[in-house]
Every structure is written in structure tokens, then in C-alpha cells.
Amino acid sequence: MKFGPIGTRASVLRAGRGVALAALAALGTLSAASAAAPRDPTGTWLTQDGKARIRVEKCGPQEKNLCGYAVWLKTPLNDEGKPRVDFRNPDPKKRARASLGHQLILGLKLNEDAHYEGKIYNAEDGKFYDVTIWSDGPEELTVKGCLIAFLCQSQTWTRVNDTAPGQLTGPTNGANGPRADAEWAPKPAAGAAAGLPGAAGSASSAQAAKPAAKPAAPKPPAPAPAQ
């Protein structure tokens, strides 16, 4: 019996299977990594019903959370021709705030599925909902809101790159920009409130602004001794 050629062929087959399995494992790893990598959900999005444009941006410590603001409303005025206000808000202090520019996505956190989850506020009924947000493509954002665990509804928001009449375009909490809730408001840098680059700069400027000391007045000469 000759074992040489058969053994050699078996070794080659085993080696080929090993390479194939390794390639499949590598492909699986790459696919898992691609699935785990979150697509950037920031930008301005038109809601599915076309009633609002929501600007989504990073927020919170180290900008690891996700916040969102209503920067455009299809109907910004009420029946009296006045700007709509958030009169259904459960917080009495917020019921007089303008609907345009209010924060509705409340600091979502990234979960193990590479989706952002947390709370969203609906000004139409004044209620908060559990929400999960993710993007499967550069032009679409999926928003899944749940009142309770088995009562969920998803909608698709579409990215917009133009500016509609009346849209807020300024930075959050800045001129012509939306307003963040207190807990998610951008924190000013040290010394920014005084318009200075920093504490060291403040000290230097203060020293530079201090007026120079006036020279001491010359003393009158001592009287001559009596003769």
C-alpha cells in the first residue's frame, strides 16, 4: 500500500480548509466590527410627517451623548398669530418657552448595539418616551419611540442640507440658535464669561490694567539750625 501521495493530498486538503476557515473567521470579525461601528447620526433631519426639522448633535461630558433641537417648524405660529409655546410641558417653568428651538432629544447614550437610546420629549402631548436612534444610511435616521415595552413605533427622518425660511442656524444657546435644557447646556470654557482666554490671561491682564504707583512727593528741606 502506498500512503505517500494520499497523505500528501490529505495534508493539502486540510491546509486548504484551514485557510478557508481562517478567511471566514476574519470576514465574520470584519462584519461584526462594521455592524458595531455606529454611523454618525448628527446633522439636521426632517421628521417623517414633515412638521419639523430637528438638529441632532453631540452633547454632554466629552460629547459622548446625543441631543436634538427643533430648529424649524412648519407651523411656528398659533391660531392667534403668535409664536407657539410649550404649554403642555409637565414642568410649569417651561410652559412659556417657545416651541421653536426647544430641546426634545435628551442626552441619549450609545448602547451595545451601537444605537443611541434614552428619552425623547413630545411637545404635542407633553410626554416623555423611551427612544432609540440609529442611522443605517447617510441620508436616513431611524427613530423608534416606545410608550411601553410592547407599544413601539418607528419612523424615518430624512437628512436636509438646505436652510428653510425661519430655520434657526446659530449655535446652541447662541444667537439665532436653539436652547438646551439646563443639564445639557454647553459649558463655557474657563475665563470665557469674562471674555478672556483663561485664568492666567486674566491675571496678566489684571496686572497690566493696574495703574502705576505715583512717585512720592519730595520732602521739604529741614529748617536751618538757629544761630
Side-chain angles (χ1 to χ4, degrees):
M1 297 179 66
K2 296 181 180 180
F3 297 101
I6 297 176
T8 301
R9 184 167 56 189
S11 300
V12 171
L13 289 174
R14 282 197 298 271
R17 281 200 301 270
V19 171
L21 290 173
L24 288 173
L27 182 60
T29 302
L30 289 173
S31 299
S34 299
R39 186 181 294 274
D40 186 9
T42 61
T44 302
W45 307 88
L46 179 67
T47 58
Q48 184 169 294
D49 57 13
K51 291 182 178 180
R53 290 184 175 199
I54 311 300
R55 190 167 80 196
V56 177
E57 60 190 27
K58 297 294 180 64
C59 61
Q62 286 117 21
E63 295 192 340
K64 290 184 177 180
N65 299 77
L66 201 67
C67 292
Y69 312 89
V71 294
W72 176 85
L73 299 175
K74 183 178 181 179
T75 310
L77 305 179
N78 60 19
D79 294 339
E80 299 176 353
K82 298 179 181 179
R84 292 183 178 277
V85 296
D86 190 15
F87 67 95
R88 290 192 175 93
N89 198 299
D91 184 350
K93 296 179 181 179
K94 295 181 178 180
R95 290 174 186 167
R97 70 177 183 176
S99 296
L100 179 62
H102 80 278
Q103 180 173 354
L104 67 156
I105 298 176
L106 307 173
L108 310 187
K109 296 180 180 180
L110 197 63
N111 65 16
E112 60 185 9
D113 296 322
H115 296 167
Y116 286 90
E117 63 181 6
K119 294 289 184 180
I120 189 170
Y121 170 69
N122 183 7
E124 292 186 354
D125 59 12
K127 295 181 180 180
F128 296 87
Y129 296 87
D130 292 327
V131 70
T132 305
I133 289 178
W134 70 93
S135 178
D136 290 326
E139 303 303 320
E140 292 185 347
L141 189 71
T142 301
V143 181
K144 183 178 181 181
C146 301
L147 180 60
I148 50 181
F150 56 87
L151 183 58
C152 299
Q153 185 176 9
S154 295
Q155 55 179 265
T156 300
W157 296 358
T158 307
R159 184 184 296 277
V160 291
N161 298 309
D162 63 338
T163 301
Q167 181 173 324
L168 301 178
T169 57
T172 301
N173 282 12
N176 194 40
R179 303 168 306 281
D181 289 351
E183 60 269 34
W184 298 109
K187 300 298 187 293
L196 299 174
S202 300
S204 300
S205 299
Q207 291 175 359
K210 187 182 296 183
K214 294 183 179 180
K219 294 181 179 181
Q227 298 292 329

